[in-house]
Amino acid sequence: MEEKTVLAIDLGGTQIKMGLVKGAEILFSTQIDSQAGNGLRERLPEIEKSLNGLLEKASLSSNDIAGLGMAIPGIIDSVDKKILTINDKYNDAPTINLTEWARQTWNVPLFLENDTRSALLGEWKFGKGKGYNNVVLMNLGTGIGTSAVMEGKILRGKHFQAGILGGHFMVNIKGDQCNCGNYGCAEAEASTWNLKKIINSHPEFSDSLLFQQPKLDFKTIFQFAADEDPLAMLVCNECLEIWSACALNLIHAYDPEILIMGGGIMGSKEVILPYIQEKVNQNAWAVWGKVKVTEASLINTAALLGVGSLII
């Protein structure tokens, strides 16, 4: 069967990535600032303009396109093509009839999926997960995104939230309050959106070299930990423990053969991967053998490829 050419959109928190996708190949791509705090509706004209620019580059028209796929950071009803809920970005998105927008703009069908689920679809079909029937993805970034493939099927669940809420596994019942309302979620304990508070909570902060840094992110934390700054080392180790606990929860919940690690924080993969692999080897309840922990291979493109693959 000939592979179809599709339009794909990945609605990120800082960038909206767009691509013209054909199977495992992104023919052309572009991105724009998300301005997610202002909502999605006002970005639609710019998205339309960008996608039409990609079609022009490829010398294609909307008649050559099989559909439009959108990867969205929320809980998505992929059957009725609705955004059920979205957290702290693109807050107007659930009120927009995106199916009608795609039909009126390009006369194509719309396919919606959660962004981390889309990224796992990309890695499973075209990247590190290829050849496995049981795969888990854990993205470390602004938050912690997760998704699972079980017995050769992407996990969605009755209410479309199965597999994607691993960042809200509670790993410390006496921990910080999360943006979801619970306490001690993995996200609240070890992700970028709460990093400043995590560091400020330590009494050693004012004596640390981190105190003098204008920007506190995980790249800085890992750099200073490598230089043996005591607080950076402490925070680094705490976060590694939280990510390991989250990884173990994912393994115990979904029984994968392989755990794929992605997201911006994996810029420090040389520290993170061996640490989590060792914890998994030691503590995962996997009597059959050892779950392989590996880095994602489709950096910045997995979600586009994944959501594109849904269009059949």
Side-chain angles (χ1 to χ4, degrees):
M1 187 194 305
E2 185 181 352
E3 289 172 331
K4 298 175 179 179
T5 304
V6 302
L7 298 170
I9 302 170
D10 178 13
L11 292 179
T14 56
Q15 297 286 321
I16 299 172
K17 301 182 185 76
M18 290 161 280
L20 196 57
V21 177
K22 190 172 185 179
E25 185 181 2
I26 297 180
L27 305 176
F28 295 97
S29 65
T30 188
Q31 61 185 37
I32 59 174
D33 290 339
S34 69
Q35 300 173 23
N38 297 330
L40 178 59
R41 193 180 303 274
E42 71 170 42
R43 300 305 280 149
L44 291 180
E46 190 67 26
I47 291 171
E48 181 181 338
K49 180 181 175 182
S50 297
L51 287 174
N52 284 338
L54 296 183
L55 288 172
E56 192 175 329
K57 275 187 179 180
S59 299
L60 297 174
S61 73
S62 58
N63 294 330
D64 302 306
I65 300 303
L68 169 67
M70 293 183 72
I72 299 171
I75 297 176
I76 309 301
D77 181 338
S78 52
V79 176
D80 289 336
K81 318 289 176 62
K82 292 179 181 177
I83 302 169
L84 300 178
T85 181
I86 197 164
N87 192 21
D88 285 341
K89 46 197 160 196
Y90 306 112
N91 286 335
D92 62 346
T95 68
I96 303 171
N97 188 336
L98 292 169
T99 298
E100 187 65 14
W101 173 68
R103 190 190 66 77
Q104 288 186 354
T105 308
W106 296 284
N107 195 30
V108 295
L110 175 75
F111 295 78
L112 298 182
E113 189 50 273
N114 167 266
D115 57 347
T116 311
R117 201 176 276 140
S118 298
L120 178 54
L121 278 166
E123 285 288 343
W124 177 41
K125 293 188 176 186
F126 308 113
K128 285 289 184 69
K130 192 172 183 179
Y132 293 95
N133 284 328
N134 298 277
V135 186
V136 165
L137 175 69
M138 182 164 128
N139 271 348
L140 303 178
T142 305
I144 297 176
T146 66
S147 186
V149 166
M150 293 182 70
E151 299 179 335
K153 293 182 179 179
I154 192 80
L155 194 63
R156 290 188 174 92
K158 180 176 176 61
H159 304 104
F160 305 99
Q161 61 190 53
I164 62 172
L165 298 179
H168 298 281
F169 284 151
M170 294 171 68
V171 293
N172 179 10
I173 60 171
K174 296 180 180 179
D176 276 352
Q177 186 168 23
C178 185
N179 54 22
C180 73
N182 285 323
Y183 287 84
C185 294
E187 272 203 14
E189 298 295 309
S191 68
T192 301
W193 69 259
N194 204 31
L195 184 59
K196 187 175 180 180
K197 183 179 177 184
I198 291 166
I199 295 169
N200 286 340
S201 68
H202 288 276
E204 305 96 326
F205 179 49
S206 59
D207 298 323
S208 168
L209 291 173
L210 292 174
F211 185 70
Q212 302 167 21
Q213 297 307 302
K215 183 180 180 183
L216 289 174
D217 56 17
F218 276 102
K219 183 179 180 182
T220 305
I221 299 298
F222 277 94
Q223 283 176 345
F224 277 70
D227 292 335
E228 299 187 349
D229 177 83
L231 178 58
M233 292 170 71
L234 179 63
V235 171
C236 188
N237 286 331
E238 286 177 350
C239 289
L240 287 166
E241 285 291 319
I242 296 297
W243 297 330
S244 296
C246 191
L248 287 164
N249 283 333
L250 289 166
I251 289 166
H252 293 160
Y254 304 120
D255 191 18
E257 302 158 89
I258 183 171
L259 167 64
I260 300 172
M261 305 283 301
I265 296 173
M266 289 302 291
S268 302
K269 64 187 176 186
E270 70 284 349
V271 178
I272 297 170
L273 279 177
Y275 192 98
I276 293 180
Q277 182 71 74
E278 185 178 356
K279 286 288 184 179
V280 166
N281 290 351
Q282 289 174 350
N283 300 322
W285 199 326
V287 295
W288 55 269
K290 293 178 180 177
V291 178
K292 180 181 179 183
V293 181
T294 187
E295 64 172 312
S297 58
L298 303 172
I299 309 301
N300 296 322
T301 63
L304 291 176
L305 291 170
V307 80
S309 74
L310 293 172
I311 299 168
I312 53 175

